[in-house]
Amino acid sequence: MAQTNINIRIDEKLKQQFEYICSELGLNMSTAFNMFAKAMVRKNGIPFEVSLKTPNAETLKAIEDVNNHRNLIGPFKSAKEAIEAMLKDEK
């Protein structure tokens, strides 16, 4: 199979970190990029999830409550006490 070159731009520190991890795995950067390319072709897309983790409305409300010190329960003296409080809410 014919080989070709690809030139990419990457942050110097990121490149050093990437090279280190590749080396620890017994790979070079070229092999790692080829692995990624093959996985992408095999999956017909990016081989890992790429998303913006946007909290849902319930989670946003909980975050707002915590930030404003509302609807808080605890502190608890033990894990058992915390579990009992959670189970009490379910009843």
Side-chain angles (χ1 to χ4, degrees):
M1 186 180 301
Q3 299 283 310
T4 188
N5 289 324
I6 297 174
N7 293 316
I8 63 169
R9 291 180 131 349
I10 187 170
D11 176 79
E12 179 64 30
K13 184 171 180 160
L14 178 60
K15 179 184 176 226
Q16 291 170 358
Q17 293 168 332
F18 184 65
E19 281 180 311
Y20 173 78
I21 293 169
C22 287
S23 175
E24 289 294 303
L25 293 170
L27 306 170
N28 59 37
M29 290 195 322
S30 183
T31 301
F33 278 113
N34 274 293
M35 290 170 65
F36 172 75
K38 288 177 181 181
M40 194 162 177
V41 168
R42 187 172 43 255
K43 186 171 174 157
N44 201 27
I46 296 176
F48 48 83
E49 182 180 345
V50 177
S51 65
L52 297 173
K53 296 288 184 181
T54 306
N56 63 24
E58 182 180 6
T59 302
L60 287 172
K61 184 182 180 322
I63 292 169
E64 183 181 329
D65 283 351
V66 168
N67 289 338
N68 292 299
H69 307 285
R70 296 186 304 236
N71 301 319
L72 302 177
I73 301 171
F76 303 103
K77 295 178 184 158
S78 67
K80 181 180 177 187
E81 190 179 319
I83 291 169
E84 287 172 354
M86 287 187 283
L87 293 174
K88 184 175 132 185
D89 285 347
E90 290 183 359
K91 294 178 183 175

